[in-house]
Amino acid sequence: EQVRQRYGFEPPQLVDFKALRGDTSDNIPGVPGVGDKTAAKLVQDFVSVEALLERVDELPEGRLKSALQAHADKVRLGKRMVTIVRDVPIELELERARWTRYDYDKARRVFDHLEFRQLLTRFPPPDQVPVQPSLTFEPAPQAAGLRIVEDPTEAASLLDGPGERPEAMDAVAATLSGRPISGHDAKETELALRSLGGGQRDWAFSTFLAAYLLGAGSRDPRLEDLAREFLSVELVSTEQLLGTGRAARKPSAIAENEAAEFAARRAESILNLRPRLEAEMRNLGVDYLFHEIELPLAGVLADMESEGVAIDVPYLKQMQDELGAQLAAIEKEVEDVAGQKFNLNAPQQLAKVLFEDLRLPVGKRTKTGYSTDADTLETLREKHPIVGLILEHRQLSKLKSTYVDALPQLVDPMSGRVHTSFGQASTATGRLSSSNPNLMNIPIRAELGQRIRRAFKAGRPDHVMVSADYSQIELRIAAHLSGDPKLLGAFAAGQDIHTATAAAVFKIPLEEVTPDQRRLAKVANFGSIYGQGEYGLSQQLGITGDVAREFLGQYWSTYARLREYLDDVRRKAREEGLVVSATGRRRSIPDLRSPNFQLRGAAERMAINFPMQSLAADIIKIAMVRLHREIDADEIEGRMLLQVHDELLFEVPRSELDQFAEKVPRIMTGAYELETGIEVETKVGPNWADMKKLAVVRA
């Protein structure tokens, strides 16, 4: 039934589906450019690949027809490879085949010879009946305390005393090895368990990720809140157990029975929450997101965080001195312009200088006086030379403190690398976040941002950094979802989308588009999918409202289908109070019905952008999961280190560069099927800034 619901065809037709779509884990090539959506539609329409290939001439001329004709033999072979042979003359009584006594060493040698790596990790000890229960666990406040539940009517805790930690952790690792397990935050618990040894876990469920998908408006869901909402159970939180402030206890001061009870109740709640949350996910249609994207991604992110990225500390120390001198020079120039010395980082002193001494126009007010936020200062940039100096000082100061000063302090003394933490449930759109350090806010195009990126380097001998970046993915998604013929046509022709937009709006040939016209079109293109209006366009470009209004009138006349789609998203969101993406991700936006004009406008902009940004987030997540799986399957050394917006960063041995040059763009362009196709640009270099183009791949 789940196959019918998800794919729209019968379970036996999965072999036809897999033959068309391909399966990297089993080396099934599939048809280039055919993803889940197209493969499912072809199976629904033609029933089998044999019938499809016989009638391929009926398809309209285009990329799909050509690809099917060119790869027909591979599709037939792929179907043979994925079809399970079911007519082998074997009689088997399953219960009689269950072995509980065997020669452990001999069996292990056979499995090792046959390279059954995963099965080796699931070997039950000899002379025991092998069982595969689903386990749930939650770390106790003590690092070595763990509560394990196999049956809610039974209870057992693993807690070690002083001097017994290695033995206890061996027992934990042996208990968890090779079994499907459940927990709250899969990534964080996986990282905690890895720090104690015992390899990697086989994750079956995460209450944290399930709750996130069920209510994407509430990020970083707590187990205590889930237990209260779904089970009417009040759990003791870590803060309650340890206390806060001066009265807080150290974890080592918690009695073993108290720690055991704490962890036991939490693990029991995870066990009882799982069926409730699974049913809720099926009802809302987010189970695909959970099982195919978010849960496997937790392990990918754990690996990326464990790997870390190498930092050029001497280079950053040199930058510290340079930026310190630049900041001092700006402060001296501000002092000369203002005619007085004051603290640029003190809002009240700055406000006094700007609005009382220099008498600049007053903008927003705060409870403590005049506002000196970035938006206010930007509107004053042309009013006085001091404003530009202050904005430059702010940017330099922030980047210096956040990255140049902080990164050397964050280098792990054991690994010699920086290990950022990825937030998997921190945004309503599905985008990842990053903290300690936050690598999402390094300005990409600013000269200083590129200098900071230069500090991220290949940290192993004979290795290089490889970057793979999705090109204009959100605009491609907007064209795909809206079906706008002019947008689709520009992408299909391989045109620069901003130049094509300017040419269409100004009704001039492509070659006559000026840099200013392209810039105007670029701001309008990105602004359209973020719900930007005339005021936003005029502010961003420094043009009058009349010019912005006239341009947008021509813009929406050119892309009428895109406007219809965005208006429809806005209308439907207002009616239903939420937005649903193409992959089923949901975002509740209560302020869509707010009587407050500003709140309602902001909510509408969120609703308009959500389908594009959410699908872009899921496309790169799908690519990350598939890349990680293929890299592991091929047993190669190259590793994925970072995801920053639409870019993935790898550290790769030079000997594997050709493999990655083929593998990465192939998997990234094949992660999802868009009508516009997907374009990925790969670069290679010694660090994150000094990179040369490796390839541009479109599919």
Side-chain angles (χ1 to χ4, degrees):
E1 186 56 35
Q2 288 185 23
V3 171
R4 294 187 186 105
Q5 287 179 7
R6 180 178 296 180
Y7 299 111
F9 51 70
E10 293 301 304
Q13 293 172 287
L14 276 169
V15 292
D16 299 278
F17 172 79
K18 278 193 143 188
L20 290 166
R21 187 201 63 181
D23 188 339
T24 55
S25 63
D26 285 336
N27 288 327
I28 311 300
V31 179
V34 171
D36 287 7
K37 184 179 175 183
T38 297
K41 184 72 166 59
L42 289 171
V43 173
Q44 292 164 16
D45 291 347
F46 292 91
V47 181
S48 69
V49 294
E50 292 82 4
L52 168 63
L53 295 174
E54 283 178 12
R55 298 164 52 195
V56 72
D57 291 338
E58 297 177 15
L59 294 173
E61 295 298 328
R63 187 175 56 188
L64 175 60
K65 183 176 180 178
S66 300
L68 284 167
Q69 290 171 332
H71 295 83
D73 290 341
K74 287 185 177 179
V75 171
R76 293 187 183 96
L77 176 61
K79 182 170 180 178
R80 279 187 59 201
M81 292 169 69
V82 300
T83 301
I84 297 172
V85 177
R86 294 180 294 161
D87 57 0
V88 178
I90 293 177
E91 294 181 4
L92 174 65
E93 293 181 44
L94 197 57
E95 280 307 311
R96 290 186 62 187
R98 188 186 296 279
W99 278 21
T100 59
R101 297 176 185 274
Y102 60 93
D103 186 329
Y104 179 82
D105 292 331
K106 184 177 180 181
R108 189 175 184 86
R109 284 196 300 272
V110 172
F111 274 45
D112 190 49
H113 174 70
L114 296 173
E115 298 185 0
F116 292 167
R117 308 293 186 204
Q118 291 298 317
L119 292 178
L120 273 171
T121 66
R122 292 159 57 182
F123 249 48
D127 301 326
Q128 290 187 18
V129 176
V131 292
Q132 292 287 318
S134 176
L135 300 183
T136 66
F137 61 88
E138 178 78 2
Q142 292 171 294
L146 198 70
R147 166 66 173 148
I148 296 182
V149 176
E150 292 179 286
D151 182 336
T153 63
E154 239 176 76
S157 295
L158 293 177
L159 284 163
D160 65 308
E164 296 175 347
R165 178 181 177 123
E167 291 79 3
M169 286 304 102
D170 285 345
V172 170
T175 303
L176 299 180
S177 179
R179 302 186 187 204
I181 56 175
S182 304
H184 182 54
D185 188 339
K187 175 178 73 75
E188 292 301 320
T189 312
E190 175 68 24
L191 288 168
L193 288 170
R194 285 187 193 183
S195 69
L196 303 172
Q200 300 181 13
R201 262 57 43 188
D202 176 13
W203 280 89
F205 198 76
S206 162
T207 50
F208 177 79
L209 294 175
Y212 168 58
L213 291 175
L214 288 171
S218 55
R219 272 88 79 188
D220 295 327
R222 298 182 347 139
L223 183 59
E224 297 93 317
D225 299 331
L226 300 180
R228 185 182 303 113
E229 179 181 352
F230 290 96
L231 305 175
S232 300
V233 169
E234 289 294 333
L235 289 179
V236 175
S237 68
T238 304
E239 292 81 7
Q240 290 171 321
L241 181 72
L242 297 176
T244 57
R246 292 183 177 180
R249 297 185 289 176
K250 292 182 178 179
S252 58
I254 307 297
E256 284 190 4
N257 62 339
E258 190 179 3
E261 178 66 18
F262 169 85
R265 299 286 71 81
R266 296 174 74 84
E268 185 179 33
S269 294
I270 291 168
L271 185 75
N272 294 326
L273 277 166
R274 179 174 175 177
R276 296 287 300 273
L277 296 177
E278 283 181 323
E280 291 283 340
M281 287 196 294
R282 283 194 298 271
N283 289 339
L284 287 181
V286 295
D287 48 335
Y288 166 81
L289 279 168
F290 179 84
H291 291 291
E292 301 298 327
I293 299 179
E294 296 295 357
L295 189 61
L297 184 69
V300 177
L301 296 177
D303 277 358
M304 291 167 66
E305 290 186 23
S306 298
E307 187 70 23
V309 60
I311 298 294
D312 190 337
V313 174
Y315 168 79
L316 286 175
K317 294 288 188 185
Q318 182 182 341
M319 273 191 74
Q320 281 181 349
D321 297 337
E322 290 180 21
L323 292 180
Q326 279 184 254
L327 288 167
I330 293 173
E331 288 164 9
K332 179 66 172 65
E333 194 172 351
V334 168
E335 181 184 340
D336 293 343
V337 171
Q340 59 182 294
K341 190 171 185 177
F342 66 98
N343 184 354
L344 274 69
N345 297 314
Q348 290 183 333
Q349 291 184 38
L350 177 59
K352 179 181 180 298
V353 170
L354 294 179
F355 303 119
E356 294 179 10
D357 300 343
L358 297 177
R359 299 185 179 279
L360 295 179
V362 175
K364 293 184 291 186
R365 289 181 179 269
T366 67
K367 292 179 180 178
T368 56
Y370 306 114
S371 171
T372 58
D373 64 15
D375 289 342
T376 300
L377 293 184
E378 280 294 345
T379 63
L380 299 174
R381 186 185 282 272
E382 304 302 321
K383 303 290 184 183
H384 199 285
I386 196 174
V387 179
L389 293 169
I390 292 166
L391 286 168
E392 183 183 359
H393 185 277
R394 276 191 184 175
Q395 185 189 34
L396 283 178
S397 180
K398 182 177 180 180
L399 291 175
K400 180 177 181 292
S401 61
T402 306
Y403 300 108
V404 181
D405 296 344
L407 284 173
Q409 308 301 317
L410 294 172
V411 173
D412 187 298
M414 298 295 290
S415 68
R417 299 163 81 91
V418 166
H419 302 266
T420 188
S421 178
F422 291 104
Q424 195 175 351
S426 300
T427 70
T429 60
R431 288 281 193 186
L432 295 178
S433 64
S434 161
S435 58
N436 298 318
N438 178 0
L439 301 180
M440 303 289 186
N441 286 344
I442 302 175
I444 296 173
R445 291 173 180 83
E447 186 269 338
L448 183 56
Q450 285 301 309
R451 290 187 63 193
I452 292 171
R453 284 185 165 217
R454 190 167 288 121
F456 293 79
K457 64 174 187 175
R460 297 180 176 90
D462 296 319
H463 280 58
V464 291
M465 302 294 265
V466 172
S467 163
D469 200 356
Y470 279 119
S471 172
Q472 298 173 333
I473 189 71
E474 288 190 27
L475 281 174
R476 290 175 183 271
I477 290 170
H480 169 83
L481 294 176
S482 67
D484 189 286
K486 290 192 176 177
L487 267 181
L488 290 172
F491 280 117
Q495 296 170 348
D496 174 87
I497 192 64
H498 306 310
T499 303
T501 294
V505 170
F506 292 109
K507 297 180 174 57
I508 56 177
L510 286 167
E511 58 273 13
E512 292 183 16
V513 172
T514 67
D516 282 345
Q517 288 172 326
R518 184 186 181 278
R519 178 167 169 261
L520 185 59
K522 181 177 180 179
V523 172
N525 276 335
F526 286 116
S528 68
I529 60 176
Y530 283 89
Q532 185 183 61
E534 297 166 6
Y535 177 77
L537 186 67
S538 64
Q539 290 295 303
Q540 190 167 350
L541 289 171
I543 58 179
T544 66
D546 289 341
V547 172
R549 188 178 306 112
E550 182 180 352
F551 178 82
L552 282 180
Q554 291 294 325
Y555 181 90
W556 290 122
S557 175
T558 303
Y559 296 134
R561 185 79 62 82
L562 175 63
R563 180 164 197 172
E564 287 175 17
Y565 165 74
L566 296 175
D567 286 344
D568 190 52
V569 169
R570 183 190 290 109
R571 177 191 56 76
K572 194 173 180 182
R574 197 182 297 123
E575 290 172 358
E576 299 177 0
L578 57 82
V579 195
V580 182
S581 77
T583 54
R585 196 176 292 275
R586 304 162 70 86
R587 181 175 191 180
S588 176
I589 311 179
D591 284 339
L592 284 164
R593 297 168 183 166
S594 171
N596 183 300
F597 173 77
Q598 288 184 318
L599 289 177
R600 192 170 65 251
E604 287 183 355
R605 288 190 291 275
M606 288 180 199
I608 285 172
N609 179 244
F610 179 78
M612 278 74 76
Q613 193 170 131
S614 180
L615 183 52
D618 284 332
I619 288 173
I620 199 167
K621 284 180 173 181
I622 292 167
M624 291 169 72
V625 170
R626 293 181 181 175
L627 275 165
H628 186 268
R629 195 174 291 151
E630 190 162 319
I631 288 169
D632 273 1
D634 291 349
E635 296 183 347
I636 56 183
E637 289 183 40
R639 287 290 176 263
M640 188 159 34
L641 305 182
L642 298 175
Q643 189 249 75
V644 179
H645 305 306
D646 300 322
E647 180 182 12
L648 294 176
L649 191 67
F650 305 82
E651 186 173 345
V652 179
R654 291 185 186 276
S655 59
E656 293 177 356
L657 190 56
D658 288 345
Q659 277 181 280
F660 271 78
E662 180 278 330
K663 186 186 302 293
V664 173
R666 168 173 54 81
I667 292 176
M668 289 181 70
T669 56
Y672 196 87
E673 185 178 2
L674 298 179
E675 290 294 323
T676 60
I678 293 179
E679 183 175 297
V680 170
E681 181 179 79
T682 50
K683 297 179 180 178
V684 62
N687 57 60
W688 199 6
D690 300 319
M691 289 187 151
K692 295 179 180 178
K693 190 177 294 184
L694 197 57
V696 176
V697 177
R698 299 179 183 88

